[in-house]
Amino acid sequence: MASAAEQMAANISLANFAKATDLKKRLWFTLGALIVFRLLSYVPLPGLDPRALTTLFNTTRGGVLDFFNMFSGGSLERMSIIALGVMPYITASIVIQLASSMSPTLAALKKEGESGRKKLNQYTRYGTVFLCAVQGYFMAVGLESWGASAGQSAVVDPGMMFRISAVVSLVGGTMFLMWLGEQITSRGIGNGISLIIMAGIVASFPTSLAQLFEGGRTGSLQPITIILLIALATALVLGICFMERAQRRILIQYPKRQTARGQIQQERSHLPLKVNTANVIPPIFASSLLLMPLTIAQFAGTQQSGESAWGDFIIQLTQWLQHGAPLYMLLYGAGIVFFTFFYVSVVFNPEETAENLKKHGGFIPGIRPGKRTEEYLAYVLTRITVLGAAYLTIICLVPEWLIARAGIPFYLGGTSLLIVVNVTMDTVTQIQSHLLAHQYGDLIKKAKLKGGRLQR
């Protein structure tokens, strides 16, 4: 039977949406911020030849740059000032979270509350600047030598000034995106960083579909392959929606209490544990960790051009880590599993939950409060996390392998669909929460008005 909140959420209409002025302001702010993000993806780095850059990028189609280009919404292909996207920020966040779980000093900061969180965020920003500078420098050096052997360079005037201007522009672009994501989170709807990543992926969907149907028209892709890809994408979306709503509900009982009418009532509730508690964080973390060295290796490899042993190693490494390659699949799958368990251990603490239940008199039927409850929650959480990690790994890796086997000349895999579906569901849930809060506010106002009339 549906709860009162679920029944009220089901009755939400467009009329209520029109009255929710605060929600409309948040939606317009989010839409405006995403438009700014898309406009910035067309602002190129200073000192580049756009035509030569397009020609050179077309020669590397199907490589790791396609994957990075999809996450940046085409910014890498155009070498805009936000070509690095928010991946350096995500990588820095991973490093800080791992360090806070291993370093007693950072762990103490994490427990200080708001002040400690601000300090950790500051360290994350410093790490973002450092990673942007390193990746930006290698990218600038790689751009100078990219196509130089063929007599076609994308850089108009190579030199130290170009490298400095490129690094400054890329660092500024990523820091602006990080600030924009924080503004969306606080003044808009949804998680800002996730929405920026989703906007970049969605922006590449029309191009990918056009390439898909163009391949069918020219004969490079068989019609049965196109049909199977569309069916696979539909099945992935349905599977993601089902698994993201899957929960393990643990029954919680509270002791019998005497009501105002003298009746003895026993309260019951449920502790919902999502099968995929980590959401889209593990694939994003794993891909960002793989993308950072791969981007450096890709551009460093073009600089070496196989003329030395180091250059040969870099080129071989990029081949081993191409999409669908065994080493890439192994590292990506291991990263997803690791970050699934790591993130779940960060966001859910069985000891703290068991202690809170004990303080409020709650208990799990058949389980003693305290240590036994903590062990039981940890046991259940580990079991469903194994299932969640397996689900994320299958969703992300199986399409990768199939796309590599089919020889599709563009990237459109399970990771991108997972991010888009998850972020969309999360954003819609937040919109429903705002509408529900607005509807409750209207009911409270009406109750106060009626109470005032009765008092008169």
Side-chain angles (χ1 to χ4, degrees):
M1 184 176 179
S3 64
E6 290 173 345
Q7 290 175 1
M8 185 170 286
N11 294 328
I12 290 173
S13 62
L14 292 176
N16 295 326
F17 180 81
K19 295 176 184 177
T21 55
D22 180 66
L23 176 61
K24 286 193 293 184
K25 289 179 181 178
R26 287 179 173 271
L27 287 174
W28 280 115
F29 180 84
T30 303
L31 182 61
L34 294 179
I35 290 174
V36 171
F37 161 68
R38 290 303 301 151
L39 291 176
L40 285 176
S41 67
Y42 289 90
V43 180
L45 289 174
L48 292 179
D49 182 359
R51 294 180 180 177
L53 184 64
T54 302
T55 304
L56 290 172
F57 197 90
N58 288 333
T59 61
T60 61
R61 291 285 183 188
V64 67
L65 292 184
D66 268 6
F67 186 65
F68 203 168
N69 186 54
M70 179 200 65
F71 272 89
S72 64
S75 301
L76 184 66
E77 181 180 3
R78 294 182 287 270
M79 281 299 163
S80 72
I81 58 175
I82 58 170
L84 294 177
V86 293
M87 286 305 171
Y89 172 70
I90 295 174
T91 307
S93 300
I94 298 169
V95 174
I96 295 299
Q97 288 192 24
L98 287 173
S100 63
S101 64
M102 293 184 291
S103 170
T105 304
L106 294 179
L109 279 177
K110 195 174 181 180
K111 296 178 181 178
E112 288 181 5
E114 186 66 21
S115 60
R117 188 183 64 82
K118 288 182 178 179
K119 289 182 181 178
L120 290 176
N121 286 342
Q122 197 66 26
Y123 294 154
T124 303
R125 292 186 179 96
Y126 292 150
T128 303
V129 172
F130 173 75
L131 291 176
C132 283
V134 173
Q135 287 184 266
Y137 179 78
F138 278 100
M139 188 176 288
V141 173
L143 284 171
E144 288 179 346
S145 60
W146 201 9
S149 58
Q152 186 178 19
S153 178
V155 182
V156 177
D157 186 17
M160 187 54 65
M161 285 303 298
F162 168 74
R163 298 179 186 180
I164 294 175
S165 63
V167 170
V168 171
S169 300
L170 290 170
V171 171
T174 298
M175 297 305 292
F176 179 80
L177 283 186
M178 186 179 68
W179 175 83
L180 193 65
E182 292 175 353
Q183 294 302 309
I184 293 174
T185 303
S186 60
R187 301 172 61 184
I189 288 289
N191 183 280
I193 299 297
S194 299
L195 280 172
I196 287 174
I197 296 175
M198 188 196 77
I201 296 172
V202 171
S204 65
F205 276 2
T207 304
S208 299
L209 288 174
Q211 292 177 358
L212 179 65
F213 291 118
E214 180 64 19
R217 189 184 67 84
T218 57
S220 59
L221 288 175
Q222 298 296 324
I224 186 64
T225 304
I226 298 176
I227 295 173
L228 289 176
L229 279 174
I230 295 175
L232 175 64
T234 305
L236 283 175
V237 171
L238 294 175
I240 291 168
C241 292
F242 175 78
M243 290 298 295
E244 290 303 319
R245 295 177 64 87
Q247 294 180 348
R248 167 70 189 274
R249 293 188 175 186
I250 299 177
L251 178 64
I252 305 295
Q253 284 189 351
Y254 292 92
K256 295 181 180 180
R257 299 175 182 176
Q258 189 169 2
T259 62
R261 297 181 179 179
Q263 298 175 350
I264 298 177
Q265 185 177 4
Q266 188 174 27
E267 295 181 4
R268 290 187 176 187
S269 64
H270 291 87
L271 176 65
L273 297 178
K274 286 186 63 177
V275 172
N276 181 25
T277 308
N279 217 337
V280 296
I281 300 300
I284 293 177
F285 277 15
S287 59
S288 62
L289 282 183
L290 280 175
L291 283 176
M292 184 183 68
L294 281 176
T295 307
I296 295 175
Q298 184 84 12
F299 285 105
T302 57
Q303 181 191 16
Q304 302 295 334
S305 301
E307 297 175 358
S308 62
W310 174 249
D312 292 338
F313 171 74
I314 291 295
I315 293 174
Q316 185 64 43
L317 180 63
T318 57
Q319 291 177 355
W320 287 341
L321 296 178
Q322 290 295 327
H323 287 282
L327 181 59
Y328 173 82
M329 300 279 281
L330 179 64
L331 292 177
Y332 192 30
I336 290 174
V337 173
F338 170 77
F339 283 116
T340 299
F341 281 91
F342 172 74
Y343 190 77
V344 169
S345 67
V346 170
V347 299
F348 187 88
N349 189 347
E351 181 181 0
E352 184 179 348
T353 305
E355 188 65 27
N356 290 334
L357 287 175
K358 188 177 180 180
K359 285 181 180 178
H360 293 87
F363 63 94
I364 301 172
I367 306 295
R368 289 184 179 180
K371 188 66 176 177
R372 294 288 296 172
T373 301
E374 176 192 343
E375 293 174 354
Y376 177 76
L377 290 175
Y379 170 72
V380 173
L381 188 66
T382 301
R383 291 181 66 187
I384 63 175
T385 303
V386 169
L387 186 60
Y391 145 72
L392 287 176
T393 305
I394 292 172
I395 286 290
C396 294
L397 292 189
V398 170
E400 294 262 1
W401 182 77
L402 291 176
I403 288 172
R405 282 285 187 177
I408 298 171
F410 62 89
Y411 180 80
L412 181 61
T415 307
S416 56
L417 289 176
L418 180 70
I419 293 172
V420 170
V421 174
N422 267 281
V423 175
T424 302
M425 291 175 63
D426 180 62
T427 306
V428 170
T429 302
Q430 291 200 26
I431 291 174
Q432 289 180 342
S433 300
H434 278 275
L435 286 174
L436 194 60
H438 177 75
Q439 198 164 344
Y440 271 122
D442 287 345
L443 290 174
I444 292 171
K445 288 179 182 178
K446 290 178 182 178
K448 287 182 178 179
L449 287 173
K450 290 180 180 178
R453 288 172 184 171
L454 288 173
Q455 288 177 2
R456 290 182 183 178

